Amino acid sequence: VCEAGDEDAAWLPAEARAMSAVVRTSLCLMREHALGPASDWAPYLRLLPKSYDTLENWSQSELNLLRGTSVHAHLAGLRDGSGDLIGMARLVYDKQVGPVVRAHPQLWPDTS
């Protein structure tokens, strides 16, 4: 459904069809999530975790527990101005997924 040349992906905006398979898959899954119970993928989507316990999702207080370790030092280069970690998922969303979703709110009515 998310392949660039797939006829079923014709609903994807042109700029999204030119993006990587990972981004197209993300957009497709977000669209299916927005469709809710009407989505053929609803049973699968209900099985996905609601949150993840990865470093990019840790709070500042949790990250501060790593202070003095090589991990904390390594993560220093991956923080934004507020000190929050900028992980790959956030970068991809901010630079690719988010702009497409915001430009086409009729396709992704609920981006929460």
Side-chain angles (χ1 to χ4, degrees), residues 1-6 9 11-12 14-30 92 96-97 108:
V1 175
C2 299
E3 293 300 319
D6 189 346
W11 64 270
L12 274 170
E15 67 267 31
R17 281 184 250 135
M19 293 179 171
S20 74
V22 170
V23 172
R24 289 193 314 272
T25 300
S26 298
L27 290 166
C28 288
L29 287 172
M30 289 173 63
V92 170
Q96 295 181 300
V97 175
W108 295 279

Side-chain angles (χ1 to χ4, degrees), residues 36-108:
S39 167
D40 291 338
W41 288 86
Y44 167 74
L45 294 173
R46 279 193 299 274
L47 296 174
L48 296 177
K50 303 290 183 236
S51 64
Y52 300 90
D53 190 21
T54 59
L55 286 175
E56 71 181 84
N57 295 308
W58 282 21
S59 68
Q60 277 299 328
S61 60
E62 290 171 314
L63 290 172
N64 284 336
L65 295 173
L66 297 174
R67 194 173 299 281
T69 68
S70 60
V71 173
H72 190 272
H74 174 73
L75 296 175
L78 302 174
R79 298 178 194 273
D80 64 13
S82 72
D84 289 340
L85 284 178
I86 302 174
M88 186 54 69
R90 181 170 167 193
L91 285 173
V92 170
Y93 185 86
D94 288 350
K95 300 213 179 270
Q96 295 181 300
V97 175
V100 173
V101 169
R102 287 188 296 277
H104 304 278
Q106 72 283 6
L107 297 175
W108 295 279

